[in-house]
Amino acid sequence: MHSNFYYDDGAYLSLYEQGAALMSAIDEKLLSFLCGYSYQEVHIPSLIHGSVLRKCGYFNSFPQHITPVGFLKERKVQGQSETVDKEIGFNDYYLTPAACLHIYPMLEHACKENSVYTTCEAVFRYENGDFRQSERLWEFSVREMVFVGSKKYVLDGLECIKAKSLAFAKNVFGEGKVQEASDNFYPSRENEVKKRLQQANGLKQELLLTLEGKEIAVASFNFHDHHFSNPFHFANGGEIVTGCVGFGLERWVLCAFEKSISESSIRTCP
């Protein structure tokens, strides 16, 4: 038990008053990085249908992240403290593993070229149950920014947010570095090829801060090319690509606690 948060062993982080205020201040600062862009704030649900995950290739690339949503079947279970597998049904719905996955279906019939979409929501990654308080939670909060448009527009947008993020980290946290990275693909031959292509083409970078003596990624910058615009039919003959930035808010908050960074210092940071 910490005076500012409660960590459930292997699932989530609950923030008390100071922690909640810190998270709000950090999120507001991150959102301010979009100043100068005409962006749309969107809301996404916790549930996502399997058809969307399959269209994104998520079952092949990251099956270890996926959390199926179960429900008790119509027969009431009374006088029992536990349920058993035969009493739980499934209906091809899952907990959302990445906030941006909901945005691409929205663009299938209403895509505006050279635009930005952002959301701040909870996402869920099971990670084969390998949970660690400062690194991996089953449920965590993400400020997501999705750039949609020409390759130049998307890459310029990613560079802009990356530069602002790094400056913020150094000004307030006194540190920060950006390095090449790759996604945590499920180990398979096909995914090893994806990982090598990602690394060879510099498609993913991460912003690192130090927490408990270890470097930890607090933001990622990802260029998707046509990975989403093609299957969701808004590529416009190959002209439109996408990229996204994701900020893991709990990690920022934990780093702020460790360095005794106050809400006011975040809000007054230029």
Side-chain angles (χ1 to χ4, degrees):
M1 180 76 71
H2 189 282
S3 60
N4 291 305
F5 60 83
Y6 168 74
Y7 173 67
D8 179 85
D9 187 20
Y12 55 80
L13 200 66
S14 297
L15 298 173
Y16 302 147
E17 184 176 1
Q18 183 182 356
L22 263 175
M23 179 178 281
S24 178
I26 290 169
D27 183 49
E28 287 178 18
K29 180 59 65 174
L30 299 176
L31 186 58
S32 75
F33 296 166
L34 287 176
C35 180
Y37 287 93
S38 178
Y39 64 87
Q40 296 184 45
E41 181 99 31
V42 300
H43 167 72
I44 65 161
S46 295
L47 295 180
I48 191 166
H49 196 265
S51 60
V52 177
L53 294 179
R54 282 185 280 275
K55 213 168 191 179
C56 296
Y58 216 89
F59 284 99
N60 291 328
S61 296
F62 311 106
Q64 75 277 21
H65 290 175
I66 297 173
T67 306
V69 175
F71 56 90
L72 289 179
K73 295 180 180 178
E74 188 173 348
R75 181 178 65 82
K76 292 183 179 180
V77 181
Q78 294 181 328
Q80 298 183 30
S81 60
E82 297 180 357
T83 58
V84 295
D85 289 348
K86 67 181 180 181
E87 296 162 344
I88 300 176
F90 299 93
N91 206 12
D92 204 22
Y93 281 94
Y94 305 82
L95 294 178
T96 299
C100 65
L101 301 183
H102 274 289
I103 293 175
Y104 309 119
M106 297 178 184
L107 301 177
E108 190 157 10
H109 303 293
C111 179
K112 182 179 178 182
E113 189 172 358
N114 293 350
S115 55
V116 183
Y117 302 85
T118 186
T119 188
C120 183
E121 308 289 350
V123 297
F124 307 81
R125 296 183 186 176
Y126 186 67
E127 301 282 8
N128 281 335
D130 181 21
F131 306 123
R132 283 163 276 171
Q133 175 177 329
S134 60
E135 297 179 60
R136 297 191 184 279
L137 299 171
W138 192 349
E139 176 181 356
F140 56 97
S141 306
V142 174
R143 165 58 66 180
E144 189 95 13
M145 302 170 182
V146 177
F147 289 82
V148 182
S150 67
K151 184 174 182 178
K152 183 180 187 310
Y153 176 82
V154 171
L155 289 175
D156 285 351
L158 295 178
E159 285 298 317
C160 174
I161 303 303
K162 181 170 61 179
K164 290 181 177 181
S165 303
L166 183 58
F168 171 60
K170 289 185 174 180
N171 286 338
V172 177
F173 292 80
E175 61 160 329
K177 72 176 185 180
V178 173
Q179 71 175 24
E180 299 292 330
S182 61
D183 284 314
N184 183 29
F185 291 105
Y186 185 78
S188 70
R189 285 188 177 180
E190 179 185 359
N191 288 336
E192 184 61 31
V193 172
K194 294 178 188 176
K195 182 176 181 178
R196 290 177 181 175
L197 286 173
Q198 196 176 47
Q199 293 172 328
N201 293 286
L203 302 182
K204 184 182 184 72
Q205 295 179 312
E206 292 178 337
L207 170 61
L208 306 179
L209 293 178
T210 303
L211 181 63
E212 298 176 351
K214 296 176 59 178
E215 289 185 332
I216 186 169
V218 295
S220 66
F221 312 91
N222 311 274
F223 179 62
H224 310 138
D225 207 356
H226 298 99
H227 182 76
F228 295 112
S229 58
N230 274 337
F232 288 99
H233 310 296
F234 60 88
N236 191 25
E239 294 182 6
I240 298 179
V241 300
T242 65
C244 76
V245 181
F247 298 95
L249 296 181
E250 281 86 353
R251 291 183 175 184
W252 284 93
V253 170
L254 290 174
C255 288
F257 278 145
E258 185 171 89
K259 295 180 180 294
S260 300
I261 295 170
S262 67
E263 174 194 350
S264 61
S265 65
I266 292 169
R267 294 191 184 278
T268 57
C269 174

